[in-house]
Amino acid sequence: HAISAPYRLDCALTYRFDGSENPASATHKNVTRELTSEEWKTIIDKAWDATIPHLIFTGGEPTLRPDLPDLLAIAEQHGQVTGLITNGLRLVDRDYFEHLASQGLDHLMLILDPDNEKCWDALKVILPDDLFTAVHLTITQDNQAQVTQVLQRLAEMGTNAISLSINDPSLHPI
């Protein structure tokens, strides 16, 4: 039968950053305010009513939203699959990570800053858990020389899903 709705809805909860990312790369110029918790709850409900089964919470840094666990719980009550795209820095707090997981988080993508040890510490919390986790690395002029070491470290930690991108087309294949 014909598909009547998208399979996934990306929810940019915030365009705020915690200081670790480059805000110049964000697409926030047209955003004048964040939606409230109630507005997001309405969107999640409407997505479910429209038969959209999968939500991705993203941003900026979505873990800056104190209502993230509540939004995950609403989607979980519907039976929606939920994912999170994050720098992972808040996930160093095992209790916070476990709280997100208990509210229905199904998978996450950690955007790795290989020079930030807190990102590596977050992976030590996340990877032993039974949660599908992908690690994304953007190859830059600054980190190109260390990519092999980064990939080796990720492999040694048990990372089984890695995505790569480049931010500069002039970068040479590694």
Side-chain angles (χ1 to χ4, degrees):
H1 59 81
I3 297 170
S4 62
Y7 289 121
R8 184 179 96 187
L9 176 64
D10 290 357
C11 302
L13 298 180
T14 183
Y15 285 99
R16 289 181 284 145
F17 290 94
D18 60 8
S20 65
E21 296 92 351
N22 177 4
S25 64
T27 56
H28 64 281
K29 292 178 179 40
N30 294 327
V31 178
T32 58
R33 69 174 184 88
E34 287 185 6
L35 298 180
T36 66
S37 295
E38 287 305 313
E39 289 170 317
W40 277 115
K41 290 174 186 177
T42 299
I43 289 168
I44 293 168
D45 290 342
K46 286 183 177 188
W48 178 248
D49 291 342
T51 70
I52 299 173
H54 191 173
L55 303 175
I56 303 290
F57 295 107
T58 185
E61 178 49 47
T63 61
L64 294 176
R65 287 285 300 236
D67 59 353
L68 177 59
D70 298 330
L71 300 176
L72 287 166
I74 291 164
E76 177 71 6
Q77 290 169 1
H78 290 312
Q80 289 165 300
V81 175
T82 56
L84 178 65
I85 300 174
T86 177
N87 63 18
L89 300 182
R90 283 224 39 214
L91 304 182
V92 170
D93 177 348
R94 183 176 304 280
D95 291 338
Y96 179 72
F97 169 70
E98 290 175 356
H99 185 55
L100 294 182
S102 74
Q103 297 305 300
L105 181 63
D106 294 299
H107 62 89
L108 72 84
M109 176 178 279
L110 186 137
I111 309 300
L112 180 66
D113 174 355
D115 295 326
N116 187 335
E117 272 308 307
K118 200 168 178 184
C119 285
W120 296 101
D121 292 341
L123 286 171
K124 291 175 189 171
V125 170
I126 298 163
L127 290 175
D129 197 84
D130 185 26
L131 179 74
F132 180 82
T133 301
V135 177
H136 179 78
L137 174 65
T138 301
I139 302 170
T140 66
Q141 291 288 350
D142 294 336
N143 71 19
Q144 181 181 16
Q146 70 187 59
V147 169
T148 301
Q149 294 83 1
V150 169
L151 295 175
Q152 180 64 36
R153 187 172 177 185
L154 288 169
E156 290 169 359
M157 294 179 79
T159 307
N160 60 10
I162 299 171
S163 67
L164 302 170
S165 64
I166 60 171
N167 73 348
D168 182 342
S170 70
L171 291 171
H172 298 286
I174 297 174

